[in-house]
Amino acid sequence: MKKMLLLVGLFLGILTCATAQNRDEEKRDYIEVYGTAVMEVVPDEIYVKIVLRDKEQRSKTELEQQEKKLFAVLQKAGIDVKKDLSVRSMSGNRYKLKSGPLKMKKEYILLVHDVKTLDRVFAGLEVMGGVDAEIDRVDHSQMEKFRRDIKVDAIKVAKEKAEALAAAIGQYIGAAIYIGEERWGGFAGQFSNVAMNAMRGEEPGIDFEKIALQGTIQVRFKLLAR
């Protein structure tokens, strides 16, 4: 009985070692590569921060008048105020003295889709006066699609690289056994001097820099002998 148990144990030990060896060989039997893809897109969403202040510190009536002027300026520039203008915040501070004035501030975010419209907006705000405005950020309406496209392109690059490397040693690749998103990066487009030129009444001629997107994918392919 003891002899039989010893033989069974020896057999199981050999089987375990063989299985472990096969697994180790499988782990080594692949090629791992990284594929990187880059894309540049012109932003079609330009967010402008606009701030109105009650500079005379009399009452909120002045702020309301400024707001009406702002709406008129934006509409003249071709802006759909109801759709593309929103209030980010509104604040007011009352002084301790009963006779003290009420100082109000209202901040808006305006969405502009192209530089020509942006030029008209800033030119109108310059004429209006008493307004603080600056570019808040830029984006693109199809950003999620671009990200998916970059990942697909990165996988294709990885496959081409793996095929070339495998061919160099007389082998070829099989199915992918692992796909991982290694790195993803995006560099927001920087707005140029367009807005400043418009504020100074100069001719605009510089566009936004493109948004640079980059994605890297890690892929492992089965490595097969010819």
Side-chain angles (χ1 to χ4, degrees):
M1 184 67 179
K2 290 182 179 180
K3 191 173 183 179
M4 183 178 293
L5 291 175
L6 181 61
L7 290 174
V8 171
L10 182 60
F11 173 76
L12 291 175
I14 294 172
L15 181 62
T16 301
C17 290
T19 302
Q21 184 177 358
N22 289 336
R23 288 177 179 173
D24 289 339
E25 290 177 355
E26 288 178 359
K27 289 180 180 179
R28 293 194 299 269
D29 205 18
Y30 66 81
I31 182 171
E32 179 178 293
V33 293
Y34 292 85
T36 299
V38 178
M39 178 186 296
E40 291 185 340
V41 297
V42 177
D44 67 353
E45 293 181 343
I46 307 166
Y47 293 88
V48 182
K49 181 174 73 172
I50 301 173
V51 180
L52 299 181
R53 289 186 175 86
D54 181 7
K55 293 187 177 181
E56 295 299 326
Q57 299 181 357
R58 295 174 182 172
S59 68
K60 68 176 183 179
T61 303
E62 182 186 350
L63 190 65
E64 292 173 348
Q65 292 175 349
Q66 283 185 304
E67 188 175 50
K68 290 179 181 179
K69 291 180 181 179
L70 174 64
F71 291 170
V73 166
L74 296 180
Q75 288 171 347
K76 186 177 180 180
I79 299 294
D80 186 339
V81 176
K82 292 183 178 180
K83 180 181 177 182
D84 294 330
L85 183 69
S86 58
V87 178
R88 173 182 278 181
S89 64
M90 183 174 181
S91 61
N93 299 314
R94 185 178 294 279
Y95 291 86
K96 292 182 179 180
L97 297 176
K98 292 183 179 180
S99 58
L102 179 66
K103 186 177 180 181
M104 301 292 294
K105 182 180 78 171
K106 201 167 186 179
E107 184 176 315
Y108 305 83
I109 288 294
L110 172 66
L111 173 60
V112 179
H113 298 283
D114 59 81
V115 174
K116 289 184 178 180
T117 304
L118 181 67
D119 291 335
R120 293 195 299 270
V121 167
F122 272 94
L125 294 178
E126 173 66 12
V127 174
M128 174 182 167
V131 183
D132 293 332
E134 63 181 12
I135 306 298
D136 189 67
R137 62 188 176 89
V138 296
D139 206 336
H140 199 286
S141 56
Q142 299 295 316
M143 189 59 71
E144 289 304 318
K145 177 182 180 301
F146 293 150
R147 286 173 177 167
R148 291 193 298 269
D149 291 344
I150 286 178
K151 292 173 186 178
V152 171
D153 289 343
I155 291 177
K156 292 178 179 178
V157 171
K159 183 180 179 182
E160 291 176 0
K161 185 186 296 185
E163 288 173 339
L165 293 174
I169 56 174
Q171 294 183 313
Y172 66 97
I173 62 172
I177 58 176
Y178 173 81
I179 298 176
E181 185 177 344
E182 181 67 15
R183 290 184 296 276
W184 167 258
F187 304 93
Q190 301 297 314
F191 62 92
S192 62
N193 291 329
V194 174
M196 293 304 297
N197 289 342
M199 293 291 279
R200 292 194 299 263
E202 298 176 8
E203 283 294 326
I206 308 174
D207 205 345
F208 275 80
E209 291 183 7
K210 295 179 180 179
I211 301 174
L213 307 175
Q214 177 177 307
T216 299
I217 299 293
Q218 176 189 11
V219 189
R220 293 175 186 169
F221 296 96
K222 287 288 293 181
L223 193 58
L224 308 174
R226 292 188 180 278

mmCIF file with all atom_site columns, all heavy atoms in Angstrom, residues 82-106:
data_model
loop_
_atom_site.group_PDB
_atom_site.id
_atom_site.type_symbol
_atom_site.label_atom_id
_atom_site.label_alt_id
_atom_site.label_comp_id
_atom_site.label_asym_id
_atom_site.label_entity_id
_atom_site.label_seq_id
_atom_site.pdbx_PDB_ins_code
_atom_site.Cartn_x
_atom_site.Cartn_y
_atom_site.Cartn_z
_atom_site.occupancy
_atom_site.B_iso_or_equiv
_atom_site.pdbx_formal_charge
_atom_site.auth_seq_id
_atom_site.auth_comp_id
_atom_site.auth_asym_id
_atom_site.auth_atom_id
_atom_site.pdbx_PDB_model_num
ATOM 1   N N   . LYS A 1 82  ? -29.088 81.718  -25.858 1.00 0.00 ? 82  LYS A N   1
ATOM 2   C CA  . LYS A 1 82  ? -29.782 80.704  -25.058 1.00 0.00 ? 82  LYS A CA  1
ATOM 3   C C   . LYS A 1 82  ? -29.075 79.355  -25.102 1.00 0.00 ? 82  LYS A C   1
ATOM 4   O O   . LYS A 1 82  ? -29.113 78.589  -24.144 1.00 0.00 ? 82  LYS A O   1
ATOM 5   C CB  . LYS A 1 82  ? -31.222 80.551  -25.555 1.00 0.00 ? 82  LYS A CB  1
ATOM 6   C CG  . LYS A 1 82  ? -32.091 81.768  -25.292 1.00 0.00 ? 82  LYS A CG  1
ATOM 7   C CD  . LYS A 1 82  ? -33.529 81.527  -25.744 1.00 0.00 ? 82  LYS A CD  1
ATOM 8   C CE  . LYS A 1 82  ? -34.409 82.733  -25.442 1.00 0.00 ? 82  LYS A CE  1
ATOM 9   N NZ  . LYS A 1 82  ? -35.804 82.515  -25.882 1.00 0.00 ? 82  LYS A NZ  1
ATOM 10  N N   . LYS A 1 83  ? -28.430 79.081  -26.215 1.00 0.00 ? 83  LYS A N   1
ATOM 11  C CA  . LYS A 1 83  ? -27.791 77.774  -26.412 1.00 0.00 ? 83  LYS A CA  1
ATOM 12  C C   . LYS A 1 83  ? -26.341 77.749  -25.955 1.00 0.00 ? 83  LYS A C   1
ATOM 13  O O   . LYS A 1 83  ? -25.892 76.773  -25.333 1.00 0.00 ? 83  LYS A O   1
ATOM 14  C CB  . LYS A 1 83  ? -27.875 77.384  -27.889 1.00 0.00 ? 83  LYS A CB  1
ATOM 15  C CG  . LYS A 1 83  ? -27.238 76.046  -28.221 1.00 0.00 ? 83  LYS A CG  1
ATOM 16  C CD  . LYS A 1 83  ? -27.346 75.767  -29.710 1.00 0.00 ? 83  LYS A CD  1
ATOM 17  C CE  . LYS A 1 83  ? -26.655 74.461  -30.081 1.00 0.00 ? 83  LYS A CE  1
ATOM 18  N NZ  . LYS A 1 83  ? -26.699 74.195  -31.537 1.00 0.00 ? 83  LYS A NZ  1
ATOM 19  N N   . ASP A 1 84  ? -25.579 78.804  -26.258 1.00 0.00 ? 84  ASP A N   1
ATOM 20  C CA  . ASP A 1 84  ? -24.132 78.761  -26.074 1.00 0.00 ? 84  ASP A CA  1
ATOM 21  C C   . ASP A 1 84  ? -23.597 79.619  -24.934 1.00 0.00 ? 84  ASP A C   1
ATOM 22  O O   . ASP A 1 84  ? -22.381 79.672  -24.732 1.00 0.00 ? 84  ASP A O   1
ATOM 23  C CB  . ASP A 1 84  ? -23.435 79.189  -27.380 1.00 0.00 ? 84  ASP A CB  1
ATOM 24  C CG  . ASP A 1 84  ? -23.668 78.188  -28.497 1.00 0.00 ? 84  ASP A CG  1
ATOM 25  O OD1 . ASP A 1 84  ? -23.830 76.995  -28.203 1.00 0.00 ? 84  ASP A OD1 1
ATOM 26  O OD2 . ASP A 1 84  ? -23.717 78.612  -29.677 1.00 0.00 ? 84  ASP A OD2 1
ATOM 27  N N   . LEU A 1 85  ? -24.475 80.289  -24.199 1.00 0.00 ? 85  LEU A N   1
ATOM 28  C CA  . LEU A 1 85  ? -24.029 81.098  -23.060 1.00 0.00 ? 85  LEU A CA  1
ATOM 29  C C   . LEU A 1 85  ? -24.663 80.586  -21.785 1.00 0.00 ? 85  LEU A C   1
ATOM 30  O O   . LEU A 1 85  ? -25.869 80.356  -21.731 1.00 0.00 ? 85  LEU A O   1
ATOM 31  C CB  . LEU A 1 85  ? -24.398 82.570  -23.275 1.00 0.00 ? 85  LEU A CB  1
ATOM 32  C CG  . LEU A 1 85  ? -23.914 83.534  -22.181 1.00 0.00 ? 85  LEU A CG  1
ATOM 33  C CD1 . LEU A 1 85  ? -22.392 83.668  -22.218 1.00 0.00 ? 85  LEU A CD1 1
ATOM 34  C CD2 . LEU A 1 85  ? -24.571 84.907  -22.349 1.00 0.00 ? 85  LEU A CD2 1
ATOM 35  N N   . SER A 1 86  ? -23.846 80.386  -20.748 1.00 0.00 ? 86  SER A N   1
ATOM 36  C CA  . SER A 1 86  ? -24.368 79.909  -19.463 1.00 0.00 ? 86  SER A CA  1
ATOM 37  C C   . SER A 1 86  ? -23.691 80.659  -18.323 1.00 0.00 ? 86  SER A C   1
ATOM 38  O O   . SER A 1 86  ? -22.565 81.154  -18.469 1.00 0.00 ? 86  SER A O   1
ATOM 39  C CB  . SER A 1 86  ? -24.128 78.409  -19.300 1.00 0.00 ? 86  SER A CB  1
ATOM 40  O OG  . SER A 1 86  ? -22.752 78.100  -19.385 1.00 0.00 ? 86  SER A OG  1
ATOM 41  N N   . VAL A 1 87  ? -24.385 80.746  -17.201 1.00 0.00 ? 87  VAL A N   1
ATOM 42  C CA  . VAL A 1 87  ? -23.846 81.426  -16.020 1.00 0.00 ? 87  VAL A CA  1
ATOM 43  C C   . VAL A 1 87  ? -23.050 80.426  -15.203 1.00 0.00 ? 87  VAL A C   1
ATOM 44  O O   . VAL A 1 87  ? -23.551 79.374  -14.821 1.00 0.00 ? 87  VAL A O   1
ATOM 45  C CB  . VAL A 1 87  ? -24.978 82.013  -15.162 1.00 0.00 ? 87  VAL A CB  1
ATOM 46  C CG1 . VAL A 1 87  ? -24.395 82.668  -13.905 1.00 0.00 ? 87  VAL A CG1 1
ATOM 47  C CG2 . VAL A 1 87  ? -25.775 83.036  -15.967 1.00 0.00 ? 87  VAL A CG2 1
ATOM 48  N N   . ARG A 1 88  ? -21.791 80.743  -14.959 1.00 0.00 ? 88  ARG A N   1
ATOM 49  C CA  . ARG A 1 88  ? -20.953 79.864  -14.134 1.00 0.00 ? 88  ARG A CA  1
ATOM 50  C C   . ARG A 1 88  ? -21.132 80.203  -12.650 1.00 0.00 ? 88  ARG A C   1
ATOM 51  O O   . ARG A 1 88  ? -21.226 79.305  -11.802 1.00 0.00 ? 88  ARG A O   1
ATOM 52  C CB  . ARG A 1 88  ? -19.487 79.996  -14.527 1.00 0.00 ? 88  ARG A CB  1
ATOM 53  C CG  . ARG A 1 88  ? -18.540 79.248  -13.592 1.00 0.00 ? 88  ARG A CG  1
ATOM 54  C CD  . ARG A 1 88  ? -17.085 79.432  -13.989 1.00 0.00 ? 88  ARG A CD  1
ATOM 55  N NE  . ARG A 1 88  ? -16.716 78.516  -15.064 1.00 0.00 ? 88  ARG A NE  1
ATOM 56  C CZ  . ARG A 1 88  ? -15.484 78.463  -15.570 1.00 0.00 ? 88  ARG A CZ  1
ATOM 57  N NH1 . ARG A 1 88  ? -14.546 79.280  -15.116 1.00 0.00 ? 88  ARG A NH1 1
ATOM 58  N NH2 . ARG A 1 88  ? -15.196 77.611  -16.545 1.00 0.00 ? 88  ARG A NH2 1
ATOM 59  N N   . SER A 1 89  ? -21.133 81.483  -12.341 1.00 0.00 ? 89  SER A N   1
ATOM 60  C CA  . SER A 1 89  ? -21.293 81.882  -10.933 1.00 0.00 ? 89  SER A CA  1
ATOM 61  C C   . SER A 1 89  ? -21.761 83.320  -10.845 1.00 0.00 ? 89  SER A C   1
ATOM 62  O O   . SER A 1 89  ? -21.614 84.106  -11.777 1.00 0.00 ? 89  SER A O   1
ATOM 63  C CB  . SER A 1 89  ? -19.965 81.735  -10.170 1.00 0.00 ? 89  SER A CB  1
ATOM 64  O OG  . SER A 1 89  ? -19.001 82.623  -10.689 1.00 0.00 ? 89  SER A OG  1
ATOM 65  N N   . MET A 1 90  ? -22.342 83.649  -9.689  1.00 0.00 ? 90  MET A N   1
ATOM 66  C CA  . MET A 1 90  ? -22.776 85.014  -9.409  1.00 0.00 ? 90  MET A CA  1
ATOM 67  C C   . MET A 1 90  ? -22.537 85.278  -7.937  1.00 0.00 ? 90  MET A C   1
ATOM 68  O O   . MET A 1 90  ? -22.859 84.445  -7.077  1.00 0.00 ? 90  MET A O   1
ATOM 69  C CB  . MET A 1 90  ? -24.253 85.196  -9.752  1.00 0.00 ? 90  MET A CB  1
ATOM 70  C CG  . MET A 1 90  ? -24.764 86.617  -9.546  1.00 0.00 ? 90  MET A CG  1
ATOM 71  S SD  . MET A 1 90  ? -26.451 86.817  -10.139 1.00 0.00 ? 90  MET A SD  1
ATOM 72  C CE  . MET A 1 90  ? -26.723 88.555  -9.774  1.00 0.00 ? 90  MET A CE  1
ATOM 73  N N   . SER A 1 91  ? -21.944 86.411  -7.626  1.00 0.00 ? 91  SER A N   1
ATOM 74  C CA  . SER A 1 91  ? -21.646 86.718  -6.231  1.00 0.00 ? 91  SER A CA  1
ATOM 75  C C   . SER A 1 91  ? -21.887 88.183  -5.940  1.00 0.00 ? 91  SER A C   1
ATOM 76  O O   . SER A 1 91  ? -21.840 89.033  -6.826  1.00 0.00 ? 91  SER A O   1
ATOM 77  C CB  . SER A 1 91  ? -20.184 86.366  -5.912  1.00 0.00 ? 91  SER A CB  1
ATOM 78  O OG  . SER A 1 91  ? -19.313 87.126  -6.716  1.00 0.00 ? 91  SER A OG  1
ATOM 79  N N   . GLY A 1 92  ? -22.120 88.471  -4.662  1.00 0.00 ? 92  GLY A N   1
ATOM 80  C CA  . GLY A 1 92  ? -22.315 89.855  -4.234  1.00 0.00 ? 92  GLY A CA  1
ATOM 81  C C   . GLY A 1 92  ? -21.878 90.003  -2.794  1.00 0.00 ? 92  GLY A C   1
ATOM 82  O O   . GLY A 1 92  ? -22.109 89.130  -1.965  1.00 0.00 ? 92  GLY A O   1
ATOM 83  N N   . ASN A 1 93  ? -21.194 91.086  -2.493  1.00 0.00 ? 93  ASN A N   1
ATOM 84  C CA  . ASN A 1 93  ? -20.706 91.318  -1.139  1.00 0.00 ? 93  ASN A CA  1
ATOM 85  C C   . ASN A 1 93  ? -21.250 92.641  -0.610  1.00 0.00 ? 93  ASN A C   1
ATOM 86  O O   . ASN A 1 93  ? -21.079 93.682  -1.239  1.00 0.00 ? 93  ASN A O   1
ATOM 87  C CB  . ASN A 1 93  ? -19.168 91.374  -1.121  1.00 0.00 ? 93  ASN A CB  1
ATOM 88  C CG  . ASN A 1 93  ? -18.565 90.072  -1.608  1.00 0.00 ? 93  ASN A CG  1
ATOM 89  O OD1 . ASN A 1 93  ? -18.989 89.011  -1.188  1.00 0.00 ? 93  ASN A OD1 1
ATOM 90  N ND2 . ASN A 1 93  ? -17.591 90.164  -2.501  1.00 0.00 ? 93  ASN A ND2 1
ATOM 91  N N   . ARG A 1 94  ? -21.920 92.582  0.525   1.00 0.00 ? 94  ARG A N   1
ATOM 92  C CA  . ARG A 1 94  ? -22.471 93.801  1.128   1.00 0.00 ? 94  ARG A CA  1
ATOM 93  C C   . ARG A 1 94  ? -21.543 94.271  2.260   1.00 0.00 ? 94  ARG A C   1
ATOM 94  O O   . ARG A 1 94  ? -21.104 93.477  3.081   1.00 0.00 ? 94  ARG A O   1
ATOM 95  C CB  . ARG A 1 94  ? -23.869 93.542  1.684   1.00 0.00 ? 94  ARG A CB  1
ATOM 96  C CG  . ARG A 1 94  ? -24.517 94.805  2.215   1.00 0.00 ? 94  ARG A CG  1
ATOM 97  C CD  . ARG A 1 94  ? -25.934 94.503  2.709   1.00 0.00 ? 94  ARG A CD  1
ATOM 98  N NE  . ARG A 1 94  ? -26.811 94.112  1.620   1.00 0.00 ? 94  ARG A NE  1
ATOM 99  C CZ  . ARG A 1 94  ? -27.414 94.958  0.803   1.00 0.00 ? 94  ARG A CZ  1
ATOM 100 N NH1 . ARG A 1 94  ? -27.203 96.257  0.932   1.00 0.00 ? 94  ARG A NH1 1
ATOM 101 N NH2 . ARG A 1 94  ? -28.212 94.531  -0.145  1.00 0.00 ? 94  ARG A NH2 1
ATOM 102 N N   . TYR A 1 95  ? -21.230 95.554  2.218   1.00 0.00 ? 95  TYR A N   1
ATOM 103 C CA  . TYR A 1 95  ? -20.377 96.113  3.260   1.00 0.00 ? 95  TYR A CA  1
ATOM 104 C C   . TYR A 1 95  ? -21.129 96.167  4.595   1.00 0.00 ? 95  TYR A C   1
ATOM 105 O O   . TYR A 1 95  ? -22.359 96.159  4.634   1.00 0.00 ? 95  TYR A O   1
ATOM 106 C CB  . TYR A 1 95  ? -19.903 97.517  2.868   1.00 0.00 ? 95  TYR A CB  1
ATOM 107 C CG  . TYR A 1 95  ? -18.938 97.506  1.705   1.00 0.00 ? 95  TYR A CG  1
ATOM 108 C CD1 . TYR A 1 95  ? -19.428 97.516  0.396   1.00 0.00 ? 95  TYR A CD1 1
ATOM 109 C CD2 . TYR A 1 95  ? -17.571 97.463  1.911   1.00 0.00 ? 95  TYR A CD2 1
ATOM 110 C CE1 . TYR A 1 95  ? -18.551 97.507  -0.679  1.00 0.00 ? 95  TYR A CE1 1
ATOM 111 C CE2 . TYR A 1 95  ? -16.690 97.442  0.843   1.00 0.00 ? 95  TYR A CE2 1
ATOM 112 C CZ  . TYR A 1 95  ? -17.177 97.462  -0.450  1.00 0.00 ? 95  TYR A CZ  1
ATOM 113 O OH  . TYR A 1 95  ? -16.328 97.441  -1.511  1.00 0.00 ? 95  TYR A OH  1
ATOM 114 N N   . LYS A 1 96  ? -20.390 96.247  5.697   1.00 0.00 ? 96  LYS A N   1
ATOM 115 C CA  . LYS A 1 96  ? -20.990 96.238  7.021   1.00 0.00 ? 96  LYS A CA  1
ATOM 116 C C   . LYS A 1 96  ? -21.855 97.472  7.267   1.00 0.00 ? 96  LYS A C   1
ATOM 117 O O   . LYS A 1 96  ? -22.886 97.391  7.928   1.00 0.00 ? 96  LYS A O   1
ATOM 118 C CB  . LYS A 1 96  ? -19.887 96.155  8.084   1.00 0.00 ? 96  LYS A CB  1
ATOM 119 C CG  . LYS A 1 96  ? -19.148 94.808  8.074   1.00 0.00 ? 96  LYS A CG  1
ATOM 120 C CD  . LYS A 1 96  ? -18.101 94.764  9.169   1.00 0.00 ? 96  LYS A CD  1
ATOM 121 C CE  . LYS A 1 96  ? -17.379 93.410  9.167   1.00 0.00 ? 96  LYS A CE  1
ATOM 122 N NZ  . LYS A 1 96  ? -16.341 93.348  10.227  1.00 0.00 ? 96  LYS A NZ  1
ATOM 123 N N   . LEU A 1 97  ? -21.413 98.613  6.756   1.00 0.00 ? 97  LEU A N   1
ATOM 124 C CA  . LEU A 1 97  ? -22.201 99.819  6.963   1.00 0.00 ? 97  LEU A CA  1
ATOM 125 C C   . LEU A 1 97  ? -23.527 99.738  6.215   1.00 0.00 ? 97  LEU A C   1
ATOM 126 O O   . LEU A 1 97  ? -23.598 99.236  5.102   1.00 0.00 ? 97  LEU A O   1
ATOM 127 C CB  . LEU A 1 97  ? -21.416 101.057 6.470   1.00 0.00 ? 97  LEU A CB  1
ATOM 128 C CG  . LEU A 1 97  ? -20.101 101.354 7.213   1.00 0.00 ? 97  LEU A CG  1
ATOM 129 C CD1 . LEU A 1 97  ? -19.386 102.532 6.569   1.00 0.00 ? 97  LEU A CD1 1
ATOM 130 C CD2 . LEU A 1 97  ? -20.399 101.650 8.682   1.00 0.00 ? 97  LEU A CD2 1
ATOM 131 N N   . LYS A 1 98  ? -24.596 100.238 6.844   1.00 0.00 ? 98  LYS A N   1
ATOM 132 C CA  . LYS A 1 98  ? -25.911 100.183 6.218   1.00 0.00 ? 98  LYS A CA  1
ATOM 133 C C   . LYS A 1 98  ? -25.936 100.993 4.923   1.00 0.00 ? 98  LYS A C   1
ATOM 134 O O   . LYS A 1 98  ? -26.674 100.669 3.995   1.00 0.00 ? 98  LYS A O   1
ATOM 135 C CB  . LYS A 1 98  ? -26.972 100.716 7.192   1.00 0.00 ? 98  LYS A CB  1
ATOM 136 C CG  . LYS A 1 98  ? -27.194 99.820  8.388   1.00 0.00 ? 98  LYS A CG  1
ATOM 137 C CD  . LYS A 1 98  ? -28.294 100.361 9.276   1.00 0.00 ? 98  LYS A CD  1
ATOM 138 C CE  . LYS A 1 98  ? -28.534 99.452  10.459  1.00 0.00 ? 98  LYS A CE  1
ATOM 139 N NZ  . LYS A 1 98  ? -29.612 99.977  11.352  1.00 0.00 ? 98  LYS A NZ  1
ATOM 140 N N   . SER A 1 99  ? -25.134 102.043 4.893   1.00 0.00 ? 99  SER A N   1
ATOM 141 C CA  . SER A 1 99  ? -25.119 102.884 3.697   1.00 0.00 ? 99  SER A CA  1
ATOM 142 C C   . SER A 1 99  ? -24.152 102.371 2.632   1.00 0.00 ? 99  SER A C   1
ATOM 143 O O   . SER A 1 99  ? -24.010 102.964 1.576   1.00 0.00 ? 99  SER A O   1
ATOM 144 C CB  . SER A 1 99  ? -24.719 104.316 4.080   1.00 0.00 ? 99  SER A CB  1
ATOM 145 O OG  . SER A 1 99  ? -23.437 104.300 4.701   1.00 0.00 ? 99  SER A OG  1
ATOM 146 N N   . GLY A 1 100 ? -23.455 101.269 2.980   1.00 0.00 ? 100 GLY A N   1
ATOM 147 C CA  . GLY A 1 100 ? -22.468 100.724 2.047   1.00 0.00 ? 100 GLY A CA  1
ATOM 148 C C   . GLY A 1 100 ? -23.121 100.176 0.790   1.00 0.00 ? 100 GLY A C   1
ATOM 149 O O   . GLY A 1 100 ? -24.260 99.704  0.818   1.00 0.00 ? 100 GLY A O   1
ATOM 150 N N   . PRO A 1 101 ? -22.416 100.244 -0.338  1.00 0.00 ? 101 PRO A N   1
ATOM 151 C CA  . PRO A 1 101 ? -22.952 99.791  -1.619  1.00 0.00 ? 101 PRO A CA  1
ATOM 152 C C   . PRO A 1 101 ? -22.902 98.269  -1.760  1.00 0.00 ? 101 PRO A C   1
ATOM 153 O O   . PRO A 1 101 ? -22.251 97.573  -0.994  1.00 0.00 ? 101 PRO A O   1
ATOM 154 C CB  . PRO A 1 101 ? -22.019 100.458 -2.626  1.00 0.00 ? 101 PRO A CB  1
ATOM 155 C CG  . PRO A 1 101 ? -20.711 100.530 -1.899  1.00 0.00 ? 101 PRO A CG  1
ATOM 156 C CD  . PRO A 1 101 ? -21.061 100.787 -0.459  1.00 0.00 ? 101 PRO A CD  1
ATOM 157 N N   . LEU A 1 102 ? -23.599 97.774  -2.740  1.00 0.00 ? 102 LEU A N   1
ATOM 158 C CA  . LEU A 1 102 ? -23.632 96.345  -3.042  1.00 0.00 ? 102 LEU A CA  1
ATOM 159 C C   . LEU A 1 102 ? -22.802 96.100  -4.296  1.00 0.00 ? 102 LEU A C   1
ATOM 160 O O   . LEU A 1 102 ? -23.105 96.643  -5.361  1.00 0.00 ? 102 LEU A O   1
ATOM 161 C CB  . LEU A 1 102 ? -25.081 95.885  -3.291  1.00 0.00 ? 102 LEU A CB  1
ATOM 162 C CG  . LEU A 1 102 ? -25.262 94.409  -3.649  1.00 0.00 ? 102 LEU A CG  1
ATOM 163 C CD1 . LEU A 1 102 ? -24.885 93.525  -2.469  1.00 0.00 ? 102 LEU A CD1 1
ATOM 164 C CD2 . LEU A 1 102 ? -26.710 94.140  -4.058  1.00 0.00 ? 102 LEU A CD2 1
ATOM 165 N N   . LYS A 1 103 ? -21.749 95.360  -4.176  1.00 0.00 ? 103 LYS A N   1
ATOM 166 C CA  . LYS A 1 103 ? -20.871 95.064  -5.307  1.00 0.00 ? 103 LYS A CA  1
ATOM 167 C C   . LYS A 1 103 ? -21.205 93.674  -5.852  1.00 0.00 ? 103 LYS A C   1
ATOM 168 O O   . LYS A 1 103 ? -21.134 92.688  -5.131  1.00 0.00 ? 103 LYS A O   1
ATOM 169 C CB  . LYS A 1 103 ? -19.412 95.121  -4.877  1.00 0.00 ? 103 LYS A CB  1
ATOM 170 C CG  . LYS A 1 103 ? -18.428 94.958  -6.038  1.00 0.00 ? 103 LYS A CG  1
ATOM 171 C CD  . LYS A 1 103 ? -17.015 95.104  -5.552  1.00 0.00 ? 103 LYS A CD  1
ATOM 172 C CE  . LYS A 1 103 ? -16.027 94.948  -6.708  1.00 0.00 ? 103 LYS A CE  1
ATOM 173 N NZ  . LYS A 1 103 ? -14.635 95.067  -6.256  1.00 0.00 ? 103 LYS A NZ  1
ATOM 174 N N   . MET A 1 104 ? -21.559 93.615  -7.126  1.00 0.00 ? 104 MET A N   1
ATOM 175 C CA  . MET A 1 104 ? -21.972 92.363  -7.737  1.00 0.00 ? 104 MET A CA  1
ATOM 176 C C   . MET A 1 104 ? -20.990 91.938  -8.827  1.00 0.00 ? 104 MET A C   1
ATOM 177 O O   . MET A 1 104 ? -20.364 92.773  -9.473  1.00 0.00 ? 104 MET A O   1
ATOM 178 C CB  . MET A 1 104 ? -23.365 92.503  -8.355  1.00 0.00 ? 104 MET A CB  1
ATOM 179 C CG  . MET A 1 104 ? -24.454 92.907  -7.381  1.00 0.00 ? 104 MET A CG  1
ATOM 180 S SD  . MET A 1 104 ? -24.809 91.603  -6.171  1.00 0.00 ? 104 MET A SD  1
ATOM 181 C CE  . MET A 1 104 ? -25.483 90.336  -7.264  1.00 0.00 ? 104 MET A CE  1
ATOM 182 N N   . LYS A 1 105 ? -20.885 90.625  -9.031  1.00 0.00 ? 105 LYS A N   1
ATOM 183 C CA  . LYS A 1 105 ? -20.063 90.065  -10.103 1.00 0.00 ? 105 LYS A CA  1
ATOM 184 C C   . LYS A 1 105 ? -20.778 88.860  -10.680 1.00 0.00 ? 105 LYS A C   1
ATOM 185 O O   . LYS A 1 105 ? -21.341 88.055  -9.947  1.00 0.00 ? 105 LYS A O   1
ATOM 186 C CB  . LYS A 1 105 ? -18.688 89.657  -9.575  1.00 0.00 ? 105 LYS A CB  1
ATOM 187 C CG  . LYS A 1 105 ? -17.768 89.101  -10.670 1.00 0.00 ? 105 LYS A CG  1
ATOM 188 C CD  . LYS A 1 105 ? -16.415 88.711  -10.115 1.00 0.00 ? 105 LYS A CD  1
ATOM 189 C CE  . LYS A 1 105 ? -16.491 87.376  -9.392  1.00 0.00 ? 105 LYS A CE  1
ATOM 190 N NZ  . LYS A 1 105 ? -15.144 86.869  -9.023  1.00 0.00 ? 105 LYS A NZ  1
ATOM 191 N N   . LYS A 1 106 ? -20.773 88.749  -11.999 1.00 0.00 ? 106 LYS A N   1
ATOM 192 C CA  . LYS A 1 106 ? -21.429 87.629  -12.662 1.00 0.00 ? 106 LYS A CA  1
ATOM 193 C C   . LYS A 1 106 ? -20.471 87.063  -13.710 1.00 0.00 ? 106 LYS A C   1
ATOM 194 O O   . LYS A 1 106 ? -19.938 87.800  -14.539 1.00 0.00 ? 106 LYS A O   1
ATOM 195 C CB  . LYS A 1 106 ? -22.732 88.081  -13.317 1.00 0.00 ? 106 LYS A CB  1
ATOM 196 C CG  . LYS A 1 106 ? -23.721 86.957  -13.594 1.00 0.00 ? 106 LYS A CG  1
ATOM 197 C CD  . LYS A 1 106 ? -25.083 87.532  -13.936 1.00 0.00 ? 106 LYS A CD  1
ATOM 198 C CE  . LYS A 1 106 ? -26.138 86.438  -14.082 1.00 0.00 ? 106 LYS A CE  1
ATOM 199 N NZ  . LYS A 1 106 ? -27.473 86.999  -14.383 1.00 0.00 ? 106 LYS A NZ  1
#
